[in-house]
């Protein structure tokens, strides 16, 4: 049991850091501008992240599994650790880092080490989605901005009432965003452990069923929630008053646009529906909530006439698509080598 | 929770509207008061003065209540400073209207016949600036795109008021009908006091233009 907990710890740490960083993408402005109290935000965020992870987390995780099926617990430990260290290091460097990109890099590192072929179709699907997701967020934000502006102008709604509607909106959209984040990003945290999951399915009198994967996701969700409660306040205060100075209404638009993007790339229900209607479905891929938010902010800048577009941030994102997985892959490769040859642990099964 | 938010918001909407109504009324009472004094209806003037004194303290109470509620219920955190600043400067208009009528009541200036129409016109124009600045303030809360329209009107009436003020002062100092220099200075003093109402209204309008830009989505 102790061994299992030890090996899962790197994934839990990755979850913690995801909670600490990404909750701010959803509730940052709301808390930073004092529209919502941190405690309320943290509670809603945690609940819905766990719910999203357990109910709807399987889709995006499955794609990661296609990329590389890490089949030993010690290997999964290293893969998650390499991703976590990369995320920490990039965060310290002030780059809009993505857990998704770090974990993909680490998985590819494991593939190289175990001499497993990397599925190029999965990889191109994943990378294509990374590029597409901020663009999609920008489009949503652009659209929502114009709709909101028109509604607010035409309805002659009083400032006080607009304020109360915005608060309710920030809570509801925040809950949806948290759910989407949990659903889309749990794969990053716990996905690599799926093939070596130490848990057994639980059934209670036919009323309640929790698969071993769902138990893993529940654990990961709790780790994310822990990150939200222990560390995200600091990040939220920075987001709310620093990097992106948004008004509460624009924050609402940004969170809604980013959440929909995250949801589209995580919802199996929607995927199945579109497929059954013979329509092109969104691939289920873990994407970066930070980059979706940057995309949304850009969309709003464009809607305002293209002023204040932060080209530096855009180039940092593009750099991140290459630099993050590369750093993480190298780190994973080196760490796997040490785990196997120094600590004498089996990191893959042939 | 939504009901809680809404009830507080509705209450405050009512309070703000009530406050703005009082500012408009203060402008109208001020105009009527000056007119009543100038044409010699002293009883009516004293009634107006009494009314505006009551109104001033009433407006003060509402403003304090709004401030208290905004902080207690943590409402409009982004625009709270601007809204409170706006209400405070609007309250200054009510104060100055009351002060001018008080000066009339205390000093009982002797308005010569040939200056009466100028004084009345000046009071009307000042009152007009108050009316338009309140419209601009209402637009700030409900229809941000209309603020600049009303602000322009405030500038227009303030400029007109400046012209009438200058005309009145030149008339007072150039005319032989006023013998004593102190009397001329007294006329200038009251002309400036009445015009000060439009100056304060204009400075509120300036603030509103900036607040409106900040509030745009």
């Amino acid at each position: 049991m102790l061994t299992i907990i030890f090996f899962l710890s790197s994934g839990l740490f990755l979850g913690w850091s995801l909670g600490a960083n990404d909750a701010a993408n959803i509730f940052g402005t709301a808390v930073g501008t004092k529209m919502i109290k941190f405690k309320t935000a943290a509670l809603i965020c945690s609940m819905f992240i766990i719910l999203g992870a357990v109910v709807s987390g399987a889709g995006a995780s499955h794609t990661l599994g296609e990329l590389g099926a890490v089949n030993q617990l010690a290997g999964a430990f290293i893969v998650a650790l390499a991703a976590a260290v990369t995320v920490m290091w990039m965060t310290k460097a002030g780059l809009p880092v993505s857990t998704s990109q770090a974990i993909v890099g680490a998985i590819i590192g494991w593939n190289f080490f175990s001499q497993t072929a990397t599925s190029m179709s999965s990889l191109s699907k994943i990378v294509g989605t990374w590029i597409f997701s901020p663009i999609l967020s920008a489009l949503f934000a652009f659209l929502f901005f114009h709709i909101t502006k028109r509604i607010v102008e035409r309805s002659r709604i009083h400032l006080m009432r607009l304020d109360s509607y915005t608060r309710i909106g920030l809570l509801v959209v925040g809950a949806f965003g948290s759910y989407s984040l949990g659903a889309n990003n749990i794969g990053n945290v716990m996905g690599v452990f799926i093939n070596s999951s130490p848990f057994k399915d639980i059934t209670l009198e036919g009323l309640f069923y929790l698969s071993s994967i769902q138990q893993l996701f529940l654990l990961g969700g709790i780790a994310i929630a822990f990150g939200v409660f222990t560390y995200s306040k600091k990040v939220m205060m920075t987001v709310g008053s620093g990097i992106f100075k948004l008004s509460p209404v624009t924050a609402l638009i940004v969170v809604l646009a980013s959440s929909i993007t995250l949801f589209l790339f995580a919802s199996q229900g929607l995927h199945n529906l579109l497929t059954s209607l013979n329509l092109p479905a969104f691939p289920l891929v873990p994407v970066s909530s930070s980059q979706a938010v940057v995309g949304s902010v850009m969309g709003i800048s464009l809607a305002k006439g293209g002023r204040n577009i932060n080209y530096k941030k855009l180039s940092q994102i593009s750099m991140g698509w290459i630099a993050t997985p590369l750093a993480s892959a190298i780190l994973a490769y080196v760490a796997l080598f040490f785990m196997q040859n120094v600590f004498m642990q089996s990191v893959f099964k042939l | 929770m939504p009901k809680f938010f809404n009830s507080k918001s509705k209450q405050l909407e009512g309070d703000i509207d009530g406050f703005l109504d009082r500012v408009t009324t203060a402008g109208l009472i001020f105009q009527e008061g000056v007119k009543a004094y100038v044409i010699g209806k002293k009883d009516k003037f004293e009634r107006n003065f009494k009314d505006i004194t009551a109104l001033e303290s009433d407006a003060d109470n509402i403003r304090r209540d709004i401030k208290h509620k905004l902080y207690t219920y943590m409402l409009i955190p982004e625009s709270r400073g601007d809204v409170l600043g706006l209400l405070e400067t609007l309250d200054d208009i009510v104060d100055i209207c009351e002060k001018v009528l008080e000066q009339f009541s205390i000093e009982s200036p002797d308005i010569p016949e040939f200056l009466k129409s100028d004084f009345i016109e000046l009071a009307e124009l000042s009152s007009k600036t108050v009316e338009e600045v309140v419209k601009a303030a209402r637009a700030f809360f409900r229809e941000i795109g209309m603020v600049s329209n009303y602000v322009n009107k405030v500038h227009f009436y303030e400029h007109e008021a400046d012209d009438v003020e200058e005309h009145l002062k030149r008339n007072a100092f150039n005319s032989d009908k006023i013998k004593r220099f102190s009397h001329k200075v007294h006329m200038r003093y009251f002309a400036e006091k009445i015009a000060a109402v439009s100056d304060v209204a204009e400075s509120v309008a300036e603030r509103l233009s900036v607040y409106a830009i900040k509030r745009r989505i």
Side-chain angles (χ1 to χ4, degrees):
Chain A
M1 189 63 192
L2 211 62
T3 327
I4 291 169
I5 292 174
F6 174 77
F7 281 135
L8 283 179
S9 66
S10 62
L12 298 178
F13 175 58
L14 190 61
W16 177 85
S17 95
L18 188 110
N21 284 306
D22 287 22
N25 292 332
I26 296 162
F27 279 108
T29 306
V31 172
T33 57
K34 298 188 173 66
M35 290 290 277
I36 295 176
K37 285 182 193 156
F38 173 72
K39 274 185 187 166
T40 316
L43 191 71
I44 290 181
C45 192
S46 308
M47 269 167 40
F48 280 87
I49 280 178
I50 294 174
L51 204 66
V54 176
V55 175
S56 202
S61 309
H62 181 71
T63 308
L64 283 186
E66 281 174 8
L67 185 71
V70 184
N71 51 18
Q72 281 288 33
L73 203 52
F77 167 76
I78 290 295
V79 168
L81 187 67
V85 170
T86 310
V87 167
M88 250 181 67
W89 175 63
M90 302 273 282
T91 306
K92 269 203 159 175
L95 301 167
V97 68
S98 153
T99 322
S100 320
Q101 284 147 21
I103 200 80
V104 164
I107 291 174
I108 293 173
W110 182 86
N111 282 352
F112 270 107
F113 191 80
S114 63
Q115 294 181 332
T116 313
T118 303
S119 157
M120 287 319 281
S121 70
S122 295
L123 186 63
S124 59
K125 184 164 87 175
I126 291 171
V127 175
T129 310
W130 288 347
I131 299 168
F132 185 51
S133 67
I135 296 172
L136 190 66
S137 284
L139 281 173
F140 280 134
F142 185 88
L143 194 72
F144 294 154
F145 177 83
H146 282 294
I147 295 171
T148 312
K149 194 165 183 252
R150 187 157 288 196
I151 292 174
V152 171
E153 279 173 3
R154 292 208 173 165
S155 62
R156 300 185 65 195
I157 190 167
H158 196 281
L159 173 68
M160 300 305 307
R161 212 168 298 189
L162 181 67
D163 176 73
S164 74
Y165 292 156
T166 310
R167 269 166 210 259
I168 297 166
L170 284 168
L171 277 176
V172 173
V173 172
F176 171 61
S178 306
Y179 180 90
S180 304
L181 180 69
N184 187 283
N185 275 17
I186 191 68
N188 298 335
V189 176
M190 285 286 138
V192 289
F193 295 98
I194 289 177
N195 289 304
S196 52
S197 171
F199 299 113
K200 301 274 174 290
D201 294 2
I202 300 173
T203 312
L204 256 178
E205 306 286 330
L207 287 169
F208 177 80
Y209 172 76
L210 209 60
S211 71
S212 72
I213 294 175
Q214 281 177 319
Q215 289 168 57
L216 258 183
F217 288 177
L218 178 65
L219 203 62
I222 293 170
I224 299 175
F226 192 64
V228 174
F229 269 100
T230 53
Y231 204 76
S232 69
K233 190 172 185 181
K234 206 176 148 190
V235 187
M236 284 184 188
M237 290 308 181
T238 318
V239 171
S241 59
I243 308 163
F244 305 122
K245 187 97 179 81
L246 298 172
S247 74
V249 177
T250 41
L252 181 65
I253 298 168
V254 165
V255 178
L256 182 64
S258 318
S259 305
I260 291 178
T261 306
L262 250 63
F263 181 77
L264 289 177
F265 292 115
S267 170
Q268 269 182 315
L270 184 75
H271 185 87
N272 296 342
L273 179 76
L274 289 172
T275 315
S276 70
L277 293 170
N278 289 324
L279 289 169
F282 288 91
L284 303 178
V285 173
V287 292
S288 160
S289 66
S290 313
Q291 294 181 4
V293 165
V294 173
S296 303
V297 175
M298 299 291 170
I300 287 185
S301 298
L302 276 175
K304 283 183 171 176
R307 287 164 290 161
N308 311 324
I309 290 196
N310 192 338
Y311 290 101
K312 196 176 159 207
K313 208 104 211 160
L314 276 183
S315 66
Q316 278 177 353
I317 289 186
S318 322
M319 291 266 291
W321 289 330
I322 302 159
T324 313
L326 196 68
S328 181
I330 295 171
L331 200 62
Y333 191 92
V334 174
L336 284 166
F337 177 81
F338 276 100
M339 195 65 162
Q340 184 179 266
N341 301 310
V342 178
F343 296 101
M344 298 301 168
Q345 295 284 327
S346 160
V347 291
F348 64 89
K349 262 193 288 202
L350 285 172
Chain B
M1 195 141 50
K3 201 178 170 195
F4 165 79
F5 280 137
N6 262 336
S7 67
K8 295 289 173 237
S9 302
K10 270 184 195 162
Q11 241 182 55
L12 266 156
E13 264 181 62
D15 291 346
I16 290 170
D17 281 341
F19 177 80
L20 294 176
D21 288 344
R22 278 160 180 82
V23 181
T24 311
T25 312
L28 292 171
I29 296 177
F30 163 79
Q31 179 194 323
E32 287 303 305
V34 172
K35 201 168 155 189
Y37 182 89
V38 170
I39 61 175
K41 290 184 176 172
K42 294 285 165 15
D43 287 350
K44 185 174 180 293
F45 166 77
E46 288 303 332
R47 272 203 310 279
N48 287 143
F49 175 49
K50 212 172 130 193
D51 288 349
I52 206 164
T53 308
L55 195 77
E56 192 264 336
S57 110
D58 198 19
D60 257 354
N61 290 336
I62 298 177
R63 185 179 56 80
R64 269 196 289 269
D65 192 38
I66 293 171
K67 185 175 172 179
H68 179 76
K69 282 179 186 159
L70 281 181
Y71 278 106
T72 310
Y73 305 127
M74 308 268 294
L75 297 171
I76 50 166
E78 278 280 296
S79 337
R80 193 189 295 150
D82 290 353
V83 168
L84 291 176
L86 173 65
L87 298 186
E88 259 166 48
T89 44
L90 281 167
D91 200 30
D92 290 345
I93 297 179
V94 182
D95 289 350
I96 196 167
C97 286
E98 192 244 1
K99 279 279 170 249
V100 175
L101 292 197
E102 189 186 63
Q103 301 291 8
F104 271 101
S105 176
I106 294 169
E107 298 181 22
S108 302
D110 177 17
I111 311 277
E113 197 61 38
F114 74 99
L115 289 181
K116 282 184 176 174
S117 63
D118 279 351
F119 268 109
I120 290 170
E121 193 184 354
L122 188 56
E124 280 171 354
L125 286 167
S126 282
S127 168
K128 202 82 183 137
T129 58
V130 177
E131 193 184 324
E132 294 301 329
V133 86
V134 172
K135 284 183 190 167
R138 285 191 205 279
F140 168 77
F141 287 106
R142 286 186 187 276
E143 209 180 358
I144 205 80
M146 290 299 286
V147 171
S148 61
N149 181 32
Y150 295 120
V151 165
N152 280 338
K153 287 186 179 175
V154 175
H155 287 310
F156 174 79
Y157 289 122
E158 195 276 338
H159 185 70
E160 291 288 299
D162 274 351
D163 285 350
V164 174
E165 180 194 354
E166 190 193 331
H167 182 253
L168 193 156
K169 288 197 277 196
R170 283 189 190 282
N171 268 355
F173 280 92
N174 293 337
S175 169
D176 297 334
K177 291 175 187 164
I178 305 178
K179 302 291 177 211
R180 281 173 294 118
F181 182 72
S182 61
H183 191 186
K184 291 177 193 230
V185 172
H186 209 199
M187 291 303 100
R188 187 202 68 192
Y189 173 80
F190 272 93
E192 283 174 353
K193 281 284 165 192
I194 295 170
V197 172
S198 67
D199 293 337
V200 178
E202 192 183 38
S203 70
V204 179
E206 291 290 336
R207 270 172 181 263
L208 266 169
S209 320
V210 178
Y211 294 161
I213 294 167
K214 280 168 73 181
R215 247 209 74 201
R216 258 183 219 146
I217 290 171

